[in-house]
Amino acid sequence: MAAETHCPYCALQCAMTLTPTDAASATVATGAAPAAPVTVAGRDFPTNRGGLCKKGWTSAELLAAPSRLTAPLVRDADGALRETTWDAALDLVADRLRDIRSQHGADAVGVFGGGGLTNEKAYLLGKFARLALGTSRIDYNGRYCMSSAAAAGNRAFGIDRGLPFPLTDLDDAETILLLGTNVAETMPPFIGHLSGAQAAGGLVVVDPRRTATARLVDDGQGLHVQPAPGTDLMLLLGLAHVVIAERLVDDAYVAGRTTGFAALRRSVAQWWPERVQSVTGVPAATVRAIARRLASGGRTYILTGRGVEQHVDGTDTATAAINLALLLGLPGRPGSGYGTLTGQGNGQGGREHGQKCDQLPGYRKITDPAARAHVARVWGVDASEIPGPGLPAIELLGSLGRPDGVRALLVHGSNLVVSSPNVAEVRRGIERLELLVVCDFVLSETAALADVVLPVLQWAEEEGTMTNLEGRVIRRRPALAPPAGARDELWILHELAMRLGSTADFDTDPEAVFEELRLASEGGIADYSGIDYALLDSGAEAFWPFPRGGTGSPRLFAERFHHDDGLARLVAVAPRTGARPAPSPDELTLVTGRLLEHYQSGAQTRRVPELLGAQPDARAAIHPATAARLGIADDEPVEVRNERGTVRCRARLTTDIRPDAVFLPFHYGDEQAANLLTSDAVDPISSMPEFKANLVRVTRLVETGAES
Ligand code: SF4
């Protein structure tokens, strides 16, 4: 029977219908390569309007891929991973966890989650860590994705919902400022929502690369500016400067709905456009023109993405974008707004219900006594049994295998040794571990290092809910039965909790887990208590906060912000001296990002032949002028290196990149892992690593592999 569900990949959560085929049985009969056991069709839905991208169209191919894991694997004495039974694998994991806990304490066990897990799995994983393991050491890969935008949103608005309005609100926009996001490749159906701004000539794209998104303005439909990598904050300060200097501020809005204007005005006073030009390379006249366009009074949106957020000053940069929006009176104004574009499939819901080291369900603070008491009541324990705050991802990974650090790590839905910054160091930490357990459905680079690999279900085989980039809660529905040897992570957590002697309840039914999540989130910032499966199955829209007996909240901020006084905060921010080193003449700035064909670490999309065939390996995008100076020709092998590591790949010469920068996609592993080069220095507020502005040298490789 056909199942109405959503794409397994990004946060656009395009709607699709999966219809089972008899391909699997036909394949067995003919001996051909396994075919997809379901067909995929786009389904009408506000975010995608029936469209899908290449990743969505091909998503079913992984369901029957030969690389699919269908039995637990345990590393034997020879160092090889060998298939075993579920009982043997789970008994082994539980025994080792008990030993490590008893010898070194509960915080010697860590958990690393993922922004692709359903709400139910993310919620239960947080509960499992705190109650079954008793550890505070849980964090997740959303730390690499949304943490700076989340910190900025919480600081300014008192709430972190990526888009505080439905995506379709963008359709009628006259001006959209897109900062550091390449939606034309990362979520192609999104660009349908930009057509209004394009038609009005008001699409402004800020990106150091001339991406597919930047090319949307080529026919007079807007403007593309290419600031030097790492200077977005200064550009935004300059835009705020112009808005204030030219008296373009929405005075009534700022006076009535915000605090902090005086300090903000002082903080941007020194960022006049000519100074911004000298730092960013964006002409002063362009800075003025963008500010005037944004302030022209039409339907206007400012949207940020990872390009401006994945920095050591990412929170302040996102804050500067929010400040600009507040000065213009955009948040909460009908037909206008500010938002940030969540990346991972459940990047929104996954950051609300307890995977974060400082968080309890409902976006509650783990340090808040009232929040602890509420969640403890739902969990049936004393609040004292819930550990305190743990360590954010980079600190957690930095502690791996250390005497007072994490000695056993459970990984769910994350490919750490590709997606983490400074991956060589993460790999060394993993090698120091006494136990690594990875739940995955393929042998990712991280799973290949594990002591135990537990095979889990794929999206088309499971029930659950996701929360998309709009804060809309949606249903994931199964289209087919999973392979006999794979198990739901809810079941795995239940089995481990039982073996560890936990008396807490770990339900295996997704709907029952969601019912518990509703209770745990009730009264919190991310309140899901008014949502249930029946409501979602009825087709009703469900944007959180959605209190019990109330209605959902498609649009936030119309009347008030979520701080107690109802006001938004204008927060004065400034570039930090020495936040990142200045390049020497022979260094380029490395920009990392995504390709149309691949998703995140590539663990899934690199296993889809069509996608791998289109983008089989990493290419370093270099400006032809820079390549000429370095003696590099198109398609030649190059080395991109710095003090952390070396990437070996081929060059792709393109004028789409600035001459002072080099671009690498981050979807590849081993010697092509872009994160060999990225720094684990973090933003002091969000703990977001510096993914987007690291210094490297690029050299040509000769045939022997020696440098020229
Ligand atoms: Fe839609 Fe994103 Fe899936 Fe592409 S990857 S089909 S944009 S949800």
Side-chain angles (χ1 to χ4, degrees):
M1 198 173 121
E4 296 196 340
T5 189
H6 296 262
C7 176
Y9 297 118
C10 84
L12 203 59
Q13 284 296 288
C14 296
M16 52 172 57
T17 301
L18 304 181
T19 307
T21 69
D22 55 3
S25 49
T27 298
V28 172
T30 62
V38 294
T39 58
V40 175
R43 184 163 55 85
D44 195 36
F45 186 65
T47 64
N48 65 311
R49 295 169 174 147
L52 301 173
C53 77
K54 277 184 183 182
K55 298 179 287 282
W57 285 120
T58 57
S59 54
E61 292 187 25
L62 262 182
L63 293 165
S67 53
R68 175 85 191 265
L69 299 176
T70 55
L73 303 174
V74 171
R75 197 169 297 282
D76 68 13
D78 300 330
L81 285 169
R82 303 226 186 270
E83 290 191 3
T84 187
T85 65
W86 273 99
D87 273 342
L90 292 169
D91 287 348
L92 173 68
V93 172
D95 287 348
R96 299 288 305 278
L97 291 176
R98 251 195 315 271
D99 284 352
I100 291 168
R101 264 196 329 188
S102 67
Q103 285 182 48
H104 304 288
D107 277 353
V109 178
V111 177
F112 203 94
L117 302 178
T118 61
N119 289 318
E120 291 79 359
K121 288 190 260 184
Y123 165 79
L124 208 67
L125 192 62
K127 180 180 178 182
F128 175 82
R130 271 82 182 215
L131 297 191
L133 297 172
T135 183
S136 69
R137 300 305 199 245
I138 176 170
D139 211 53
Y140 79 129
N141 63 17
R143 186 68 65 181
Y144 306 158
C145 186
M146 293 307 298
S147 59
S148 285
N154 282 323
R155 187 161 67 170
F157 305 130
I159 193 170
D160 158 34
R161 201 181 92 189
L163 290 185
F165 48 81
L167 194 56
T168 47
D169 281 9
L170 294 180
D171 296 349
D172 299 325
E174 292 156 284
T175 304
I176 299 178
L177 175 62
L178 279 179
L179 293 148
T181 177
N182 181 16
V183 286
E185 291 199 80
T186 57
M187 43 180 72
F190 187 103
I191 64 174
H193 301 284
L194 301 177
S195 54
Q198 283 179 281
L203 182 61
V204 182
V205 179
V206 176
D207 199 307
R209 293 191 300 141
R210 189 167 165 273
T211 60
T213 306
R215 286 196 288 276
L216 294 175
V217 307
D218 279 355
D219 299 322
Q221 293 165 312
L223 186 66
H224 172 218
V225 294
Q226 290 180 276
T231 65
D232 308 301
L233 174 55
M234 292 67 132
L235 176 62
L236 286 160
L237 294 174
L239 292 171
H241 175 101
V242 174
V243 167
I244 293 173
E246 298 193 2
R247 301 185 186 284
L248 303 173
V249 175
D250 184 335
D251 292 321
Y253 180 100
V254 168
R257 302 207 55 191
T258 73
T259 64
F261 178 67
L264 175 71
R265 181 172 53 194
R266 286 193 297 276
S267 72
V268 300
Q270 59 184 301
W271 289 101
W272 56 90
E274 287 72 18
R275 185 175 182 216
V276 171
Q277 175 178 330
S278 71
V279 175
T280 66
V282 178
T286 303
V287 177
R288 290 192 174 91
I290 295 172
R292 290 168 190 160
R293 173 80 195 202
L294 291 169
S296 59
R299 294 181 295 273
T300 301
Y301 291 85
I302 296 176
L303 303 174
T304 64
R306 304 302 83 70
V308 299
E309 297 162 6
Q310 288 180 314
H311 292 285
V312 288
D313 57 5
T315 303
D316 283 351
T317 304
T319 296
I322 293 172
N323 287 340
L324 179 62
L326 289 170
L327 289 174
L328 297 166
L330 305 183
R333 186 168 93 195
S336 296
Y338 163 84
T340 179
L341 303 178
T342 298
Q344 293 193 79
N346 198 27
Q348 180 69 59
R351 69 182 189 262
E352 298 165 356
H353 299 297
Q355 284 190 91
K356 287 169 83 171
C357 66
D358 56 353
Q359 187 193 68
L360 290 173
Y363 226 121
R364 289 183 155 90
K365 286 192 172 77
I366 203 165
T367 50
D368 174 5
R372 295 172 64 84
H374 172 85
V375 174
R377 270 195 301 278
V378 174
W379 287 354
V381 300
D382 191 274
S384 63
E385 293 179 50
I386 301 175
L391 300 174
I394 298 300
E395 277 184 71
L396 190 155
L397 296 179
S399 82
L400 298 185
R402 307 277 184 204
D404 58 350
V406 164
R407 293 164 180 262
L409 185 68
L410 311 184
V411 178
H412 295 255
S414 191
N415 191 6
L416 286 172
V417 299
V418 176
S419 61
S420 301
N422 198 3
V423 282
E425 188 55 40
V426 173
R427 186 178 271 264
R428 283 190 282 274
I430 283 177
E431 286 165 1
R432 288 192 298 267
L433 284 172
E434 294 173 31
L435 177 68
L436 175 65
V437 181
V438 174
C439 284
D440 210 325
F441 48 81
V442 293
L443 197 66
S444 69
E445 285 82 355
T446 306
L449 299 174
D451 301 291
V452 181
V453 183
L454 302 177
V456 296
L457 307 191
Q458 293 195 50
W459 100 109
E461 301 154 352
E462 67 181 8
E463 290 272 5
T465 61
M466 306 282 277
T467 305
N468 79 349
L469 79 175
E470 309 166 281
R472 184 198 300 262
V473 184
I474 54 179
R475 283 278 275 119
R476 175 175 277 191
R477 299 183 182 89
L480 71 168
R487 294 286 186 276
D488 189 336
E489 271 153 300
L490 299 180
W491 180 86
I492 293 170
L493 295 175
H494 170 88
E495 290 294 315
L496 284 175
M498 296 306 101
R499 283 167 168 79
L500 291 167
S502 175
T503 55
D505 193 18
F506 289 91
D507 217 304
T508 59
D509 173 44
E511 186 169 6
V513 175
F514 190 82
E515 287 298 309
E516 189 181 308
L517 181 160
R518 291 176 64 194
L519 295 174
S521 74
E522 188 163 12
I525 293 173
D527 187 340
Y528 281 41
S529 60
I531 305 171
D532 59 25
Y533 276 25
L535 178 94
L536 298 176
D537 288 342
S538 76
E541 294 194 325
F543 293 85
W544 72 261
F546 197 137
R548 187 180 300 276
T551 56
S553 312
R555 292 174 187 82
L556 306 177
F557 312 150
E559 306 289 336
R560 65 191 310 280
F561 294 97
H562 283 247
H563 290 299
D564 287 344
D565 59 8
L567 301 178
R569 306 293 190 260
L570 288 160
V571 181
V573 293
R576 286 197 315 279
T577 307
R580 55 175 74 84
S584 61
D586 60 343
E587 287 178 314
L588 302 174
T589 302
L590 171 68
V591 178
T592 63
R594 287 174 51 187
L595 303 171
L596 170 63
E597 289 80 4
H598 290 300
Y599 179 69
Q600 307 298 46
S601 80
Q604 297 167 77
T605 50
R606 282 185 279 120
R607 289 175 164 84
V608 175
E610 183 179 337
L611 301 178
L612 184 67
Q615 295 287 354
D617 54 8
R619 298 285 166 125
I622 306 170
H623 193 280
T626 308
R629 177 168 61 78
L630 298 172
I632 295 168
D634 192 37
D635 210 36
E636 271 195 326
V638 293
E639 240 184 31
V640 186
R641 69 176 191 282
N642 63 16
E643 68 278 16
R644 287 177 287 277
T646 301
V647 167
R648 293 186 184 84
C649 62
R650 290 186 180 272
R652 184 172 67 83
L653 305 197
T654 172
T655 54
D656 290 345
I657 184 115
R658 288 172 55 104
D660 57 0
V662 54
F663 171 80
L664 275 175
F666 55 61
H667 307 296
Y668 301 91
D670 302 322
E671 68 169 10
Q672 295 200 335
N675 284 318
L676 286 165
L677 304 164
T678 53
S679 167
D680 51 16
V682 296
D683 179 294
I685 300 167
S686 66
S687 298
M688 168 71 81
E690 178 61 82
F691 282 112
K692 293 288 195 252
N694 292 278
L695 300 180
V696 295
R697 289 179 169 80
V698 182
T699 50
R700 183 168 67 92
L701 283 178
V702 295
E703 288 290 316
T704 60
E707 290 175 24
S708 61

